Amino acid sequence: MAVVTTQFLCGSDRERRMTGVLNALYEQGAELGWGDVHFESQEDGSVIVRARQDGVMIEVERFQDHEATILVNKFRYRANLDVSDTRHEQDGRFVQECHGRRIDVRLSIVPTIFGYSIVTRLLDSENSGMPIERLGMSRLVEQAFRDALQQSEGLILTGGPTGSGKTTSLYAALNLLNTPDRKVMTAEEPVEYIQKGIQQIPVGDGTGRTFASALRAMMRQNPNTILVGEIRDEETAQAAIRASLTGHLVLATIHANSAIETLYRLEDLGVSPRLVANSVRLILGQRLLRRVCPACAEDHSVKDAELFHRWGIEPPETEKMGRGCGACHGTGYKGRQAIYEAFVMTRQMRGAINVGAGKNDLEEILKKQPQYRKLFASACDLVAAGGTNTAEILKVLSDAED
C-alpha cells in the first residue's frame, strides 16, 4: 500500500539537502502565491528551478547534475508513479502541507533531450473558499453577479483567456451557493479544489467522460446548480444551454476576449442567438493585472496618456512603476488584481438579439447598463488609483475588445 506523506522525506544523507530545499520551496510558494514550480534539466546535467509568480517566470533555485536523477524519482515516489518508466510522460498529484494548510500539487513529468521537464502546479485550498467580496469587483458588478446567482435557472458565463481568473470567480460563486438546501455538481478537467458538500466529477483523459457526457449524467441527478469547467465545443454548449432552460442554474467558463464577444463565441459553437438570449443571465469578462510592488514603487510620467483619453478618462499626472527589489524578485510587481466587465441580459438586450441587432447596436444598449464598464476603462481606473501601470495594461489587454 502506498504511503501518504505531506512533506518530502529524507531517505539518506545524500538526499538531505535536496529534501530540505524542496520543502522550503513549497513553503515559499504557498507564502508568495506561486502558480506553479518548474524543474528544467539543462545541457550540463543541472536542473534549474523556476516559479511562476503573478504570471511571470522567475528563477529561484538550481540543483547540481548529480542530484537530477534523485530529484525526478522524489517526485515519482510522492505521486505514486512508476519509477522504472523513464521514457514516457507521467501525470500525478500529491499533497504538500505548507504553513499548516493543504496544498494540492498537480505533477507533470515529460522527458526532454537533456533529462526532464517537471512541472508542479500549486492549488492552494484557501483559494477555493474565496468570498465574492474579495474578488475585486466594483460595487455594481458585484451586485449584478449576486443578483444572477440568486436566480433558479439560467446561464452565467465568465470569459477570458487562460490564466485570467475565471475559475476563481466561479468557485467564489459556488462558495455562496453551496448551502445544505441545494445540490451542487461540477464537471472539471481536472478537479482543482476539493469542496465539501459538492459532487465534483472529473472529465477528460483517463476518465472516459467529456464535459457533455458529464452534463447529461448530471441531469439525471436533479441538481440545483451545475458548474461546467469549460465550454469549448458545440456538444457541451448545447448541453449547458438545455440544462439552463430546464430549471438549473449553470455556471461555466468560456474563452472569449470580452463579455460581448462571448455572445459571438457561442454562435460560433453552433448555438442560435435566440437560445443564447433566452438562457444567458450574466456574462463576466475578466483579466488579471499585476499590481505595482509597494516596496519599490516610484512615480513616473504617464507613458500613454492617449489610452485614458480614448475612454474619456482624465489621465493622472503620474503612474506607479516598480524599480525591482527583493520583495518582488526584481519584477517591480507583487500580487495581481482582477478587473471585470459585466453584461446583464435585460429584456431590452434579449429583444435586440432576437431581432438580429448588430454588435454596435448591442454595445449602445450595454453602455446604458449602470454596472457596465469596459475592461480597458476599468484598467485605466486602476492606474489612476496607483495599482498598476499602462505598460501592464497594454501587455495583458492587447487582445481585448477595445
Side-chain angles (χ1 to χ4, degrees):
M1 185 173 64
V3 177
V4 178
T5 63
T6 57
Q7 293 271 301
F8 287 92
L9 302 179
C10 178
S12 64
D13 287 343
R14 65 175 184 165
E15 295 180 6
R16 194 173 307 281
R17 188 194 88 87
M18 176 183 296
T19 301
V21 170
L22 286 173
N23 287 325
L25 279 172
Y26 286 100
E27 290 277 350
Q28 186 179 8
E31 181 180 353
L32 298 178
W34 291 348
D36 39 57
V37 184
H38 299 240
F39 301 79
E40 302 165 329
S41 296
Q42 305 299 301
E43 188 172 4
D44 63 0
S46 65
V47 177
I48 289 178
V49 185
R50 297 195 296 164
R52 192 178 300 279
Q53 181 171 305
D54 300 329
V56 176
M57 299 287 283
I58 55 172
E59 184 173 338
V60 293
E61 185 60 66
R62 181 184 289 263
F63 290 101
Q64 300 304 312
D65 55 350
H66 65 272
E67 299 175 297
T69 300
I70 301 173
L71 178 68
V72 67
N73 285 337
K74 275 289 184 187
F75 283 108
R76 288 181 175 133
Y77 282 122
R78 282 300 305 277
N80 295 315
L81 300 176
D82 184 357
V83 179
S84 65
D85 186 356
T86 60
R87 299 177 57 191
H88 303 98
E89 58 272 17
Q90 295 174 300
D91 297 310
R93 64 189 307 156
F94 59 90
V95 173
Q96 184 79 7
E97 188 175 296
C98 301
H99 302 295
R101 68 178 189 265
R102 172 192 176 116
I103 305 292
D104 288 289
V105 183
R106 281 221 313 271
L107 169 68
S108 170
I109 302 175
V110 177
T112 65
I113 57 173
F114 299 130
Y116 296 93
S117 173
I118 304 169
V119 179
T120 57
R121 185 175 183 191
L122 281 60
L123 302 171
D124 192 338
S125 58
E126 285 197 347
N127 294 332
S128 66
M130 181 180 293
I132 290 176
E133 55 268 23
R134 284 182 52 200
L135 292 177
M137 295 176 170
S138 70
R139 179 180 60 83
L140 291 174
V141 170
E142 181 180 327
Q143 189 58 56
F145 193 28
R146 289 181 181 273
D147 289 346
L149 292 171
Q150 293 305 310
Q151 301 185 47
S152 60
E153 66 177 9
L155 182 61
I156 298 174
L157 295 167
T158 59
T162 299
S164 58
K166 303 186 296 297
T167 301
T168 298
S169 296
L170 291 189
Y171 269 114
L174 289 186
N175 190 46
L176 178 69
L177 296 171
N178 184 19
T179 56
D181 60 335
R182 303 176 66 93
K183 184 175 179 71
V184 181
M185 303 187 74
T186 73
E188 305 172 64
E189 183 188 3
V191 173
E192 295 196 353
Y193 300 108
I194 308 299
Q195 295 218 322
K196 293 181 180 179
I198 295 178
Q199 302 302 303
Q200 297 171 273
I201 302 173
V203 304
D205 292 343
T207 68
R209 287 181 296 273
T210 64
F211 283 116
S213 66
L215 265 168
R216 288 194 296 270
M218 285 182 195
M219 297 295 284
R220 297 189 290 272
Q221 298 271 313
N222 194 26
N224 299 100
T225 303
I226 294 170
L227 181 143
V228 182
E230 184 182 348
I231 293 177
R232 63 172 69 140
D233 54 49
E234 180 177 359
E235 187 180 14
T236 304
Q238 296 287 1
I241 294 287
R242 283 195 297 272
S244 71
L245 292 171
T246 54
H248 306 86
L249 183 64
V250 179
L251 287 63
T253 73
I254 190 168
H255 281 265
N257 289 336
S258 66
I260 199 165
E261 284 294 331
T262 300
L263 296 177
Y264 300 104
R265 175 63 178 149
L266 287 170
E267 288 185 36
D268 290 342
L269 292 175
V271 181
S272 73
R274 184 173 296 275
L275 281 177
V276 172
N278 290 334
S279 62
V280 169
R281 298 292 179 266
L282 175 77
I283 301 173
L284 293 176
Q286 63 182 94
R287 293 292 194 281
L288 290 174
L289 295 173
R290 289 182 296 169
R291 297 188 67 90
V292 176
C293 175
C296 61
E298 299 175 339
D299 288 328
H300 290 258
S301 298
V302 176
K303 289 188 175 181
D304 195 342
E306 178 57 32
L307 189 64
F308 294 83
H309 292 305
R310 196 185 315 168
W311 302 105
I313 301 172
E314 185 65 28
E317 293 184 3
T318 61
E319 65 177 340
K320 297 290 185 181
M321 302 284 289
R323 66 178 182 275
C325 66
C328 61
H329 288 275
T331 65
Y333 299 91
K334 189 174 179 61
R336 289 191 288 182
Q337 170 73 50
I339 55 171
Y340 295 88
E341 57 182 21
F343 174 127
V344 176
M345 187 62 75
T346 60
R347 182 177 299 178
Q348 183 184 15
M349 182 65 74
R350 186 176 295 113
I353 293 173
N354 283 334
V355 298
K359 184 176 181 180
N360 290 337
D361 293 331
L362 297 181
E363 282 276 13
E364 289 303 312
I365 296 173
L366 264 182
K367 289 176 183 177
K368 298 175 183 177
Q369 295 187 3
Q371 86 294 329
Y372 182 70
R373 191 163 177 78
K374 293 179 76 69
L375 289 171
F376 264 104
S378 296
C380 288
D381 290 342
L382 190 58
V383 173
T388 191
N389 48 50
T390 52
E392 179 69 359
I393 291 178
L394 295 173
K395 175 183 177 181
V396 173
L397 293 176
S398 59
D399 63 342
E401 164 65 25
D402 63 354

